[in-house]
Amino acid sequence: MAKNLYVSALLDVYGSFLGDKQRELTELYYNEDLSLAEIAENEGITRQGVRDSIKRAEAQLALLEEKCRYCEKFSLLKSLNAKARKGDIQSAQKIFDIIDDL
């Protein structure tokens, strides 16, 4: 299970939709950079239990992003913002359109 910054971003946006324990385990893995074995030892559960919980959390986060697309929109807004600041009027209009759709 390779660590992925994208999952960390999804966790920041949608983490509150996860159960407390699932969110905590996923944050320890992605944000605190603890290994599965370290988390298992600290939490008093098996490594496989930690892995399963994180995998379920990843699936839930991906589903939420698929439905809402907030991370995708944020990334697009950042890109368009840089262009708009350089005077690109079309980028500014796209920003307004994205905001209107939220």
Side-chain angles (χ1 to χ4, degrees), residues 8-9 12 25 27 32 37 45 48 57 65 69 75 83:
S8 184
D12 289 343
L25 296 176
E27 285 178 351
E32 301 299 324
I45 57 178
Q48 187 63 42
E65 175 62 9
R69 298 283 186 210
S75 178
K83 292 177 184 177

Side-chain angles (χ1 to χ4, degrees), residues 7-24 26-27 31 57 60-61 64:
V7 175
S8 184
L10 293 178
L11 187 57
D12 289 343
V13 174
Y14 303 112
S16 61
F17 292 101
L18 300 174
D20 291 340
K21 193 65 168 179
Q22 196 174 37
R23 182 179 59 249
E24 179 186 350
T26 307
E27 285 178 351
N31 296 341
Q60 285 180 278
L61 295 170
L64 286 165

